[in-house]
Amino acid sequence: NLISGSPGSAGRVQGVVRRLDRPEDGDRFQAGEILVTKQTDIAWTLLFPRAAAIVTDVGAPLSHAAIVARELGIPAVVGCGDATMRLLTGDRVRVDGSQGTVVRASP
């Protein structure tokens, strides 16, 4: 149930996952959901204000996801490797951007 990555932006939050493969699918992304994706670039930026947290497979503390999340005060864990394979839309998770961890919450 533990997914580890790099701390991207400090903060802790619990919420529901929305796994997206491309920013064009952002119309499905609801305010307060946790965005889980492979990586982000400038095309994803408009979705960030809706996010409770950001989780990416690829990235480091100076990646796009981490920098924008810090600017907006959104917790982020980056460089998880396989978060998109382990988390599905609707999963409840706890994101700790300070520790770089994502834990699937018990049902």
Side-chain angles (χ1 to χ4, degrees):
N1 284 340
L2 174 67
I3 298 171
S4 295
S6 296
S9 180
R12 293 182 190 146
V13 69
Q14 182 168 319
V16 176
V17 165
R18 173 66 62 176
R19 187 182 168 280
L20 294 177
D21 293 321
R22 51 193 206 135
E24 294 82 8
D25 296 329
D27 59 330
R28 294 184 277 171
F29 187 51
Q30 301 298 309
E33 290 181 323
I34 296 170
L35 175 61
V36 176
T37 191
K38 291 182 183 187
Q39 66 182 34
T40 69
D41 58 30
I42 196 165
W44 291 88
T45 305
L46 293 175
L47 300 180
F48 277 50
R50 287 188 242 164
I54 309 292
V55 177
T56 64
D57 286 347
V58 178
L62 294 178
S63 65
H64 176 268
I67 291 169
V68 176
R70 283 194 299 270
E71 289 176 354
L72 297 175
I74 301 167
V77 178
V78 296
C80 295
D82 62 355
T84 57
M85 294 172 56
R86 296 175 60 189
L87 297 173
L88 302 173
T89 294
D91 286 348
R92 293 196 60 80
V93 296
R94 288 188 307 273
V95 176
D96 187 331
S98 303
Q99 297 296 315
T101 59
V102 181
V103 178
R104 187 175 292 121
S106 300

